[in-house]
Amino acid sequence: MSTVRTPDPVPGWLTEEELAAARRKLPMVYVQAIPVVLDPLGNVVEVGLLLRPNEDGEMVRSFVSGRVHYRETIRAALLRHLEKDLGPLAMPQLPASLTPFTVAEYFPSPSQSGLTDERQHSVALCYVIPVQGDCEPRQDALQLTWFTPEEAMDAQVQAEFEGGGGDLVHRALAHMGWGRC
């Protein structure tokens, strides 16, 4: 089976075998970022969603996501994954406070969280990250599509997520005040 995941930028951190063994025994810590474009009043006008192949080669929607490495700060992990997935000219605006809009819990089988990742039990700190530069997807992301919030909430777009990930877009937009009258 060929793999489509991004090669580990820090070789030697864990081998593929060690990572698989760790995933079977303990939760992994991730950061996830939903890139957005804001208007001058701070309202979300566009949501950036990545298109990438999953392990079966099917095209799925996702957002910036990746593990936090040992001895790496949350801020450094966010920046590393934003650059990896959106390119070096995205100009992400990291928040002053590192309080996530939600903490997502993924389980290898269906659970009360509604989020699944068949590889592992993981915990993800989730952020909405405004970007001001040019985004060019890199690594395993084939395309970055900018949707209006209404388009991002469309049932067809939501169905393109796997493992319940579309729910995090709902949570992110609610956190940003989208949909209030």
Side-chain angles (χ1 to χ4, degrees):
M1 172 193 279
S2 67
T3 181
V4 294
R5 74 179 204 83
T6 303
D8 194 337
V10 185
W13 179 64
L14 286 176
T15 66
E16 290 297 323
E17 295 79 24
E18 291 169 332
L19 180 59
R23 283 178 165 156
R24 287 190 300 273
K25 295 180 180 180
L26 52 99
M28 303 298 285
V29 179
Y30 280 73
V31 290
Q32 294 184 312
I34 299 176
V36 297
V37 174
L38 304 177
D39 69 12
L41 296 176
N43 299 309
V44 175
V45 293
E46 294 182 306
V47 179
L49 301 177
L50 297 167
L51 185 66
R52 63 178 59 179
N54 66 11
E55 292 294 323
D56 298 325
E58 300 166 342
M59 301 308 289
V60 296
R61 291 281 169 202
S62 65
F63 26 82
V64 174
S65 180
R67 288 189 315 274
V68 177
H69 288 172
Y70 179 68
R71 300 185 61 95
E72 181 179 42
T73 66
I74 300 298
R75 190 174 296 280
L78 268 171
L79 208 54
R80 178 171 57 83
H81 289 295
L82 285 160
E83 182 175 308
K84 175 185 66 92
D85 285 349
L86 302 180
L89 302 177
M91 294 179 28
Q93 305 301 302
L94 294 183
S97 167
L98 285 177
T99 303
F101 72 84
T102 195
V103 175
E105 297 178 276
Y106 291 85
F107 294 93
S109 57
S111 71
Q112 65 274 17
S113 78
L115 300 169
T116 59
D117 181 343
E118 62 187 36
R119 303 169 301 164
Q120 65 193 337
H121 173 195
S122 63
V123 176
L125 306 173
C126 304
Y127 299 89
V128 175
I129 303 291
V131 295
Q132 296 179 336
D134 294 324
C135 297
E136 292 292 328
R138 298 173 41 181
Q139 304 293 332
D140 61 337
L142 300 177
Q143 176 183 348
L144 174 70
T145 305
W146 292 100
F147 293 96
T148 65
E150 293 85 359
E151 292 167 337
M153 295 294 90
D154 182 77
Q156 185 174 357
V157 172
Q158 290 290 302
E160 295 176 1
F161 284 93
E162 55 184 6
D167 182 57
L168 293 177
V169 178
H170 281 273
R171 293 188 214 177
L173 290 172
H175 174 76
M176 295 297 291
W178 182 81
R180 294 185 190 160
C181 296

